[in-house]
Amino acid sequence: MKPIGKIRRSQVLTGNGPGAIIDFRGDGGAPLSVVAAGLEAWDKLSAKPGLLNDQRIRHEPLEARLQVKGFRLPPVGDERFGKSKRPRLLPAYRFPDWHVCPKCNLLQRSRFWGSELERPELYCTNCSTGRGRRMRKVFVVPVRFVVTCPSGHLQDFPWMSWPSHLESCSRKKPLKLVGEGAGLKGLRVHCTECKQERDLDGALSPGALSKFRCEGKSLWLKTTADGCNHQPVAIQRGASNAYFPVIASALDVPPFGGSFRDKLEDFWHDLISLDDRAQLPAYVRKKIHPIWYDQDVTAEELTARILTLLKTLDDKTSDLRPNEHLMLCSGGPDDEYFKEFQIKPQDLPPEMEGFLERLVSVERLREVRALTGFTRLSPVEAGDNSALVAPLSEKPLNWLPAIEVRGEGIFINFDEAEVAMWESRPDVVDRAKIAHASAERSWKEHNGEDRPFPMTISPRFLLVHTTAHALAEQLSLDSGYSTASIRERLYVSPGPGGMCGFLLYTSAPDSDGTLGGLSRKGRASELGPILISALRDLEWCSSDPLCSSGILSLSEGSGSAACHCCTFLPETSCEHFNRHLDRGMLVGTPDRPDIGFFRKLLDERS
């Protein structure tokens, strides 16, 4: 198998995973388009399949939540196969099957074009000149349009059926795709036999393929569903809505993480296989404690610590963020076990007292990101368990692809008592209700009335989310990191004592992590001016008064004061695809300035 290109390991999770359409350039600049193959194909190319593979990582709480036994890194480097070595490869299949010649406009399937053995490039034999090695090939181009559906199925655009052929036409001769003008109306599909043709105007519109049916093909798995009742939709091959990865992630925080869990590796299978937890003290006393490296720890203390680990795995559907939030709000690990989670609580900037409760400089963290599936046409909303997520494999496997990254960041927790008072104000509640109603309406337009909106757009959520965006934008100017490299992680839950904070962090797949420039900005002397500057920038947007009135964000499903000029970040940085933002909740609006949570702070410093 000849390699056709390279992608970074992290790209497999961000947009080039199984089921994604990927463009490459072959030898001589030949354009190639493929769909990344499923996980079973990974095993067929690996010397060691499944979790026997050498490139695997662990994160027990995330494994329990996703109901798998482990994670595998996307293949990189060489592996030993018998007595020889061979490169690790990601498999892919050619898609779309239809190609067009840029010179003669001929449009036909891949099997009718010229090709060479063991080479993926296709060329037009009619337009290519010369012979042998001196042949000047005219490479054909993959068509721009493909067909999908809300279930993620994938098939070729119905090129042959698009023109209205004459009854006498056998439909066996090739088509032509002729471009004579701008836009889709300037593209015409021409039948070379019956001379009938039709332009592509409206081909990407909803209902344009109402006369066709979804064939239920999962081309990345080489399978076909028994039936699909969804209406097929034509999209451009490289469109942003062709692939939305569904990623589950978790931080390495106590009680898991670091060397303590690693030192239990030889005993872990026995520990999780115990029929009765009452047997644990005896097992630890006889098997583990006699050879434990730190004899200052008693058998009872070691048992208690292991029991805490095991209890974390009992609830396989539990949310991992409350424990992360608890650890970030704590003073940090009290022993040397947790090397992957190092935090330093900081004093609050004096001007932020009464608004914030905790400021933490996160010196080191480890995050595991697992790809669980993907969607097409629209992304999955956080907390939506009824989404139509396309699978990565024919059958559920005991592993998922994942990467691990290390980095540093800043954690901020709001003063929960002040937030509770602010979010109970009638004008604040009413503004959040409008945002929620608008988001719910947009949700139902895309997903129908049968599926309930999976989240509540509360004042607290809008406050935390928008503040995270504002601070990330300002930090990119002061820390040296781009906004695309700073990610948010939100901790929000309702009720007294609920979570109300966020983590901004940057990370890298290197084992050493990043350089620490972001965590240093978490010191009180530096963060105070940065946050105030970020809030000042939100007081006025270059798109006002349209932005402050909510007109610009209606297409995003919120109807709040937010747009690309003030609060939007690169979508890789935002957990909610730049939805559910409202700078009015932070600094107020022209007609209601007092509605902003930080309005008093800004007025005092005017």
Side-chain angles (χ1 to χ4, degrees), residues 375-589:
T375 62
R376 304 196 198 275
L377 301 180
S378 61
V380 175
E381 189 68 73
D384 182 13
N385 297 321
S386 62
L388 297 174
V389 179
L392 304 177
S393 56
E394 297 178 31
K395 298 179 181 179
L397 304 177
N398 66 348
W399 61 276
L400 288 170
I403 60 171
E404 60 178 351
V405 294
R406 291 172 173 84
E408 32 91 19
I410 300 170
F411 172 73
I412 290 178
N413 202 59
F414 288 76
D415 189 320
E416 205 273 332
E418 289 294 323
V419 171
M421 292 175 56
W422 169 79
E423 66 183 355
S424 64
R425 292 174 48 182
D427 49 357
V428 174
V429 173
D430 292 342
R431 186 173 178 86
K433 284 183 178 179
I434 294 174
H436 179 88
S438 180
E440 186 175 24
R441 182 169 57 253
S442 176
W443 162 269
K444 291 182 178 179
E445 289 175 358
H446 290 89
N447 299 279
E449 299 286 340
D450 297 335
R451 294 170 56 195
F453 187 49
M455 63 183 301
T456 300
I457 311 300
S458 64
R460 178 178 302 204
F461 180 83
L462 292 171
L463 171 66
V464 172
H465 192 199
T466 312
T467 305
H469 276 234
L471 185 58
E473 184 70 38
Q474 191 64 35
L475 281 170
S476 70
L477 302 176
D478 290 75
S479 67
Y481 291 108
S482 67
T483 52
S485 64
I486 299 177
R487 298 169 64 95
E488 69 176 8
R489 192 168 181 85
L490 306 180
Y491 299 92
V492 181
S493 60
M499 297 185 293
C500 189
F502 62 88
L503 170 69
L504 294 179
Y505 65 103
T506 186
S507 58
D510 188 86
S511 60
D512 292 330
T514 51
L515 299 177
L518 189 61
S519 63
R520 280 194 291 271
K521 296 298 178 181
R523 298 166 183 169
S525 59
E526 296 200 43
L527 187 73
I530 292 175
L531 182 54
I532 291 176
S533 178
L535 294 173
R536 288 290 186 199
D537 288 344
L538 294 185
E539 288 186 286
W540 182 256
C541 173
S542 59
S543 295
D544 278 338
L546 298 179
C547 178
S548 60
S549 63
I551 293 177
L552 296 182
S553 62
L554 287 175
S555 62
E556 304 296 333
S558 66
S560 304
C563 72
H564 285 280
C565 298
C566 55
T567 58
F568 286 6
L569 295 176
E571 288 192 352
T572 54
S573 302
C574 178
E575 292 188 318
H576 296 273
F577 297 91
N578 280 326
R579 295 175 296 191
H580 320 314
L581 297 162
D582 187 2
R583 62 189 176 93
M585 289 295 198
L586 277 64
V587 299
T589 60

Side-chain angles (χ1 to χ4, degrees), residues 58 86 97 115 138 260 287 297 337 399 426 552 578 582 591:
R58 302 298 307 272
R86 67 179 186 185
D97 193 38
S115 62
V138 177
F260 178 70
K287 298 289 187 180
V297 177
Y337 288 131
W399 61 276
L552 296 182
N578 280 326
D582 187 2
D591 57 332

Side-chain angles (χ1 to χ4, degrees), residues 16-331:
N16 292 329
I21 303 172
I22 312 173
D23 287 327
F24 292 103
R25 285 283 178 178
D27 296 340
L32 301 171
S33 179
V34 298
V35 58
L39 300 184
E40 285 89 356
W42 286 28
D43 280 342
K44 291 179 181 179
L45 290 184
S46 299
K48 296 180 180 180
L51 291 176
L52 297 175
N53 196 279
D54 298 331
Q55 296 187 334
R56 61 183 184 273
I57 55 176
R58 302 298 307 272
H59 193 291
E60 278 84 2
L62 189 59
E63 292 167 15
R65 181 185 174 192
L66 300 178
Q67 300 184 28
V68 295
K69 298 295 185 181
F71 303 111
R72 268 180 58 180
L73 295 165
V76 169
D78 296 329
E79 65 177 341
R80 185 170 296 279
F81 193 79
K83 296 183 179 181
S84 61
K85 287 185 178 181
R86 67 179 186 185
R88 292 183 170 95
L89 298 175
L90 276 173
Y93 308 119
R94 187 191 303 279
F95 180 79
D97 193 38
W98 289 78
H99 291 65
V100 61
C101 175
K103 190 171 183 180
C104 67
N105 298 324
L106 211 60
L107 174 65
Q108 55 188 359
R109 292 184 178 274
S110 59
R111 64 178 180 269
F112 298 115
W113 297 109
S115 62
E116 296 180 6
L117 189 64
E118 296 296 326
R119 297 179 69 88
E121 298 86 3
L122 303 175
Y123 60 90
C124 179
T125 54
N126 297 330
C127 299
S128 300
T129 57
R131 290 188 177 183
R133 295 183 179 179
R134 296 186 177 181
M135 177 183 288
R136 297 185 62 182
K137 300 184 182 70
V138 177
F139 295 110
V140 295
V141 180
V143 292
R144 290 163 49 192
F145 308 113
V146 297
V147 175
T148 185
C149 80
S151 292
H153 297 136
L154 207 58
Q155 65 193 60
D156 280 290
F157 187 84
W159 297 105
M160 186 58 72
S161 303
W162 191 250
S164 299
H165 297 272
L166 297 178
E167 292 185 5
S168 59
C169 183
S170 65
R171 303 191 184 190
K172 292 183 179 180
K173 290 189 177 182
L175 304 172
K176 282 192 173 184
L177 185 61
V178 183
E180 294 180 348
L184 295 181
K185 194 170 182 62
L187 280 176
R188 294 182 290 107
V189 182
H190 175 84
C191 177
T192 59
E193 180 179 351
C194 67
K195 311 305 180 184
Q196 295 297 302
E197 62 184 25
R198 179 184 176 186
D199 63 52
L200 290 170
D201 187 30
L204 303 184
S205 302
L209 302 182
S210 58
K211 296 181 179 180
F212 301 92
R213 68 179 186 88
C214 178
E215 299 174 359
K217 292 182 177 180
S218 299
L219 296 178
W220 64 98
L221 303 177
K222 293 293 185 180
T223 61
T224 302
D226 294 336
C228 180
N229 298 323
H230 290 106
Q231 178 67 48
V233 179
I235 60 173
Q236 295 203 52
R237 189 183 75 239
S240 60
N241 65 345
Y243 191 86
F244 294 103
V246 180
I247 297 176
S249 66
L251 302 181
D252 226 351
V253 299
F256 276 84
S259 59
F260 178 70
R261 167 64 184 86
D262 295 338
K263 294 182 184 300
L264 292 171
E265 185 64 35
D266 294 339
F267 313 99
W268 192 250
H269 179 74
D270 292 338
L271 290 173
I272 62 177
S273 301
L274 290 175
D275 296 329
D276 185 1
R277 292 280 167 85
Q279 301 173 356
L280 182 62
Y283 181 86
V284 172
R285 187 173 58 255
K286 294 179 181 179
K287 298 289 187 180
I288 303 179
H289 188 259
I291 59 174
W292 192 249
Y293 78 103
D294 185 4
Q295 288 298 310
D296 292 336
V297 177
T298 65
E300 291 74 18
E301 293 173 339
L302 188 57
T303 301
R305 188 181 291 272
I306 294 174
L307 186 61
T308 303
L309 290 175
L310 296 176
K311 285 182 177 179
T312 307
L313 301 179
D314 288 342
D315 187 359
K316 299 184 182 301
T317 61
S318 62
D319 186 3
L320 303 179
R321 297 208 181 193
N323 184 53
E324 294 177 10
H325 182 261
L326 179 64
M327 292 298 104
L328 288 166
C329 289
S330 70

